[in-house]
Amino acid sequence: YMQQGQLALAKDKLERAAKQAPRSVEVHTALAFLYERLDKPAKAEDEYEAALRLSPGNSDVANNYAVYLCRNGKVDKAMQHFDAAAKDRLYTTPWAALTNAAVCLRAAKRGAEAVRYLEQAVAQRPNYSAAVFELADLQLELGAPGVAGQVVDRYLGIGLASPDVLLVGLRAALAR
């Protein structure tokens, strides 16, 4: 219902589901998403925290909660959750959490810190175009077009291409 924009119906169904299954991590996470869309940050945060209490090692929830915290200006708290997700050896997409952490840091004007996260993401998943783009773009922003070009060249060298990465590669070449 949320995907179809029927937020009132989604709210009704999710609140009913929460009464029927109060220990469901999925229901609390879905409620958190819904409350975000309804611009009810306190309720969204309560639902994320409930989901984490029910499943403290759930890296998907930790990553989603961290993205929420970052969007709401709670960068340091977000970083704790991004770090927890990225360090979880059972988490299937730690490079996504690392990239999200870097995007969060960039938005907070902490680009130098973001580089480390993006380098880890690219090391873990060299074909993850989002991390490659962010790293190259950040290197350009930090005044290192040569490094940005190297990042793009490594990506292209494994036989991949994406429009965003190609564009940042072109910007890097023009800036050299």
Side-chain angles (χ1 to χ4, degrees), residues 32-113:
F33 286 140
L34 174 67
Y35 289 134
E36 277 188 78
R37 294 211 29 209
L38 294 174
D39 198 26
K40 296 183 181 281
K43 284 188 169 195
E45 193 158 346
D46 287 346
E47 293 298 336
Y48 277 121
E49 289 175 355
L52 278 177
R53 276 192 307 277
L54 291 169
S55 185
N58 188 322
S59 293
D60 285 320
V61 175
N63 185 43
N64 291 333
Y65 183 34
V67 169
Y68 165 81
L69 289 168
C70 186
R71 274 195 295 243
N72 287 278
K74 299 178 181 181
V75 175
D76 291 330
K77 188 173 179 181
M79 295 311 296
Q80 294 171 359
H81 293 287
F82 283 133
D83 286 339
K87 290 175 185 169
D88 180 359
R89 293 186 181 260
L90 298 176
Y91 190 37
T92 57
T93 57
W95 56 87
L98 291 165
T99 304
N100 289 341
V103 169
C104 180
L105 289 167
R106 281 188 80 180
K109 306 293 185 223
R110 292 163 58 178
E113 292 174 69

Side-chain angles (χ1 to χ4, degrees), residues 6-22:
Q6 298 181 35
L7 300 182
L9 190 53
K11 182 177 185 283
D12 179 56
K13 299 284 186 187
L14 285 170
E15 287 175 348
R16 205 173 315 154
K19 288 178 183 168
Q20 292 174 355

Side-chain angles (χ1 to χ4, degrees), residues 119-138:
E119 287 173 342
Q120 288 177 38
V122 170
Q124 287 182 13
R125 190 68 157 209
N127 64 342
Y128 187 47
S129 65
V132 171
F133 167 79
E134 287 291 337
L135 180 56
D137 189 58
L138 179 54

